[in-house]
Amino acid sequence: MTKPKSGSSVTGEQVEAFGLLIGGRSTDSLSGRTFDSVNPYTGQVWARAADAGPEDVDAAVAAARAAFEGAWGALTGFERSALMRRLGDLVADNAERLARLEVSDSGKLYREMVGQMKAMGGWYHYYAGLADKIEGRSIPAPNPDYLVYTTRVPVGVVAAITPWNSPLLLLTWKLAPALAAGCTMVVKPSEHSPISTVVFASLLAEAGFPAGVLNVITSQRGEVGAALAGHPGVDAVAFTGATSTGRAVATAAARNLNRVTLELGGKSPQIVFADADLGAAANGVMAGVFAATGQTCMAGSRLIVHEDVHDELVRLVSARASAMRLGDPQDPATEMGPVANKPQYDKVLGHLRTAVDEGAHVACGGGPDDDLGGYFVRPTVLTGLGPDATVFREEVFGPVLSVHTFNEEDEALRLANDTPFGLAGGVWTKDVHRAHRVAGQIRAGNVWINDYRVVAPSVPFGGFGDSGIGRENGIAAMDEYLENRAIWVQLSGRTRDPFVMG
Ligand code: NAD
């Protein structure tokens, strides 16, 4: 992998500096400003990123436009496909390095990220398989004088804005279909995790992509994301992040009448029936809410459990949670790392205080890990709360599970659907009839039966309600990046009355 910026060590300091990537060149921001990326485990600055302003966004959008109208736009789907396969291979070859960068940026587990990076190449392979299969249709017209067909063309320059919790995978969910469609992109990663995206982008040049196909803007300034989302040179916006930010992004995109995909927050239910395999359910509940320190949009943070098995399931989950190995996220044996940054840490602790004030019983965890210090929060299980409790309604984005009981199936579904979000859900039962019946009534874009938190390039992902608009992954994600053009061919050669519509 090439280093993104030549001579990138900052003189006299130990941290490496990373530039913006615009038109294939690593460059400082026009203002020359930089900002630090802090490793949430060590609390130390580990890298420095260029701090772009709106004027850098202009340059990046112009570079993406030039590539779209130039070398990239001239390629056929077959040629794009070949490049994407090479990129997929390079991602897999560099999985370990990319994973280490993500861990330093965000404190996520190496154990998870290395698997994620190895799998991520598969997204480029999957969409490479679609790049050469973009077909229009021949459409029968009511008037036999016409032949009508459609072609599907790339929408143009895409603005991608990503969060800190899985920067490269969530970029890939946008980039792979956008490349397959023939679009170019400007991405702005989160200010909390800027580095991995810059390094990843250098792989496109190594794979042989023309300059300017993917441009990276790093910035710690809020107005820069807004400038990109509302840029008049952009044709579509793809965003993953908080619901409140998503509303601002959608408003900015709408001003340009641009299409937008939004992958937003969640408060996903896991319903456990009395006949479930409780060992498997406990494992799935753990995977849902404690993996990635609970910092996943699809976190199964509301456990809705039949009252007959409530005590046993809470005992199983709490015992496993209390025994979890917290520590250095770079250590492959670690099961949970720190919360990713200070604002997020404060937010999680604030939720725990509110929950206790509202009457929660703390079955395990409940606060910071005093031995480890830093941003470590112990995996927490809260019981005894009503469905109106704040922690049962609001996204915590941390390792906090709230538990509520039910008696009848209808009641479980009512509780599960009593949320403005609709991203994911889980159903645990051995009854095949009930499994499908209940899964079919959870208002969410992704439901797992007897499992949780599984994704694939071929399976659509996205949310209902406040969890977003549009879908990523799967064949239909290509539609987000393609325009339809209808072409009418006059066959008779006759002229017609010019004053009436044909
Ligand atoms: P965030 O909304 O604070 O930030 C996301 C990105 O938006 C960052 O790059 C940020 O700099 C940028 N941004 C901030 N203000 C902006 C503005 N006004 N205009 C344009 N861009 C702006 O989210 P976060 O804290 O980084 O991520 C956590 C959130 O993301 C959680 O709510 C989580 O549920 C959600 N998330 C959703 C999914 C999904 O697929 N549905 C996946 C991961 C995370």
Side-chain angles (χ1 to χ4, degrees):
M1 189 188 300
T2 52
K3 242 185 185 179
K5 194 163 190 287
S6 56
S8 49
S9 286
V10 176
T11 319
E13 297 180 35
Q14 292 306 306
V15 297
E16 198 173 343
F18 295 83
L20 310 173
L21 188 74
I22 298 181
R25 288 189 32 247
S26 177
T27 166
D28 292 332
S29 64
L30 285 170
S31 69
R33 290 203 291 197
T34 62
F35 68 104
D36 294 336
S37 183
V38 175
N39 178 323
Y41 175 64
T42 63
Q44 303 294 313
V45 174
W46 75 282
R48 189 152 293 157
D51 190 15
E55 60 286 359
D56 299 295
V57 174
D58 292 342
V61 171
R65 176 67 56 195
F68 181 69
E69 290 174 358
W72 177 248
L75 297 184
T76 65
F78 291 88
E79 291 164 323
R80 292 198 303 275
S81 175
L83 289 171
M84 290 180 69
R85 284 181 210 285
R86 242 176 273 152
L87 177 60
D89 291 343
L90 280 172
V91 168
D93 293 347
N94 286 281
E96 197 166 314
R97 164 115 204 264
L98 294 172
R100 296 262 176 226
L101 291 169
E102 298 248 283
V103 176
S104 299
D105 250 350
S106 67
K108 283 192 82 169
L109 286 191
Y110 175 74
R111 179 178 175 152
E112 172 173 9
M113 297 322 277
V114 74
Q116 205 180 85
M117 292 301 107
K118 282 183 182 155
M120 202 171 85
W123 263 261
Y124 294 96
H125 283 280
Y126 176 81
Y127 283 101
L130 297 176
D132 54 7
K133 296 173 192 67
I134 299 169
E135 297 173 351
R137 297 170 61 198
S138 160
I139 299 176
N143 182 334
D145 284 352
Y146 293 98
L147 164 70
V148 183
Y149 61 90
T150 62
T151 57
R152 302 180 79 210
V153 293
V155 69
V157 174
V158 178
I161 300 172
T162 53
W164 43 262
N165 58 333
S166 278
L168 292 186
L169 188 66
L170 296 173
L171 165 62
T172 290
W173 290 9
K174 299 158 183 50
L175 181 62
L179 292 177
C183 295
T184 58
M185 185 174 276
V186 178
V187 57
K188 194 206 80 65
S190 166
E191 55 279 24
H192 298 295
S193 57
I195 305 300
S196 61
T197 301
V198 181
V199 176
F200 163 82
S202 72
L203 293 180
L204 271 80
E206 212 170 318
F209 281 76
V213 173
L214 177 63
N215 305 275
V216 184
I217 287 290
T218 54
S219 178
Q220 63 175 348
R221 293 186 257 167
E223 76 259 28
V224 168
L228 180 57
H231 200 286
V234 152
D235 302 300
V237 181
F239 172 81
T240 299
T243 296
S244 52
T245 319
R247 285 188 210 285
V249 166
T251 306
R255 265 188 229 113
N256 293 326
L257 301 181
N258 274 338
R259 57 175 75 185
V260 61
T261 55
L262 302 173
E263 301 290 357
L264 308 176
K267 192 72 202 176
S268 301
Q270 293 237 49
I271 305 178
V272 181
F273 287 92
D275 69 337
D277 174 338
L278 288 191
N283 200 60
V285 169
M286 301 271 307
V289 74
F290 298 139
T293 320
Q295 301 169 128
T296 81
C297 51
M298 62 189 105
S301 51
R302 288 186 299 147
L303 175 58
I304 298 168
V305 54
H306 193 277
E307 58 190 23
D308 289 354
V309 291
H310 168 271
D311 292 356
E312 178 60 3
L313 188 59
V314 167
R315 191 189 65 74
L316 286 170
V317 174
S318 301
R320 181 73 181 83
S322 304
M324 270 167 67
R325 199 190 291 237
L326 274 57
D328 182 353
Q330 297 277 8
D331 180 348
T334 300
E335 294 178 320
M336 202 176 92
V339 168
N341 52 64
K342 175 87 167 70
Q344 190 58 31
Y345 175 76
D346 292 340
K347 181 179 158 195
V348 174
L349 294 187
H351 269 293
L352 291 178
R353 278 193 297 274
T354 306
V356 170
D357 289 348
E358 291 180 0
H361 167 72
V362 180
C364 73
D369 189 301
D370 295 331
D371 296 335
L372 287 164
Y375 300 152
F376 279 92
V377 177
R378 286 185 291 139
T380 297
V381 177
L382 302 171
T383 64
L385 285 168
D388 293 331
T390 310
V391 75
F392 202 70
R393 306 203 68 80
E394 292 184 9
E395 186 180 45
V396 176
F397 223 58
V400 181
L401 177 72
S402 5
V403 187
H404 201 79
T405 55
F406 72 91
N407 198 3
E408 301 297 331
E409 185 177 305
D410 284 358
E411 187 189 357
L413 275 165
R414 225 177 11 257
L415 284 166
N417 289 335
D418 183 18
T419 171
F421 295 112
L423 190 59
V427 184
W428 296 85
T429 175
K430 288 189 193 136
D431 178 339
V432 68
H433 310 288
R434 178 158 59 199
H436 291 279
R437 189 171 62 234
V438 172
Q441 291 179 80
I442 295 180
R443 282 196 50 79
N446 315 269
V447 180
W448 296 277
I449 295 172
N450 295 331
D451 210 332
Y452 204 83
R453 200 165 176 251
V454 193
V455 294
S458 51
V459 182
F461 184 89
F464 291 16
D466 281 5
S467 290
I469 299 174
R471 290 294 178 273
E472 298 191 313
N473 302 336
I475 294 174
M478 294 285 289
D479 296 341
E480 309 284 358
Y481 302 100
L482 289 166
E483 292 278 16
N484 248 315
R485 178 188 285 134
I487 296 180
W488 294 70
V489 186
Q490 219 287 346
L491 298 174
S492 73
R494 289 190 296 267
T495 55
R496 64 178 183 84
D497 181 351
F499 302 108
V500 297
M501 195 182 268

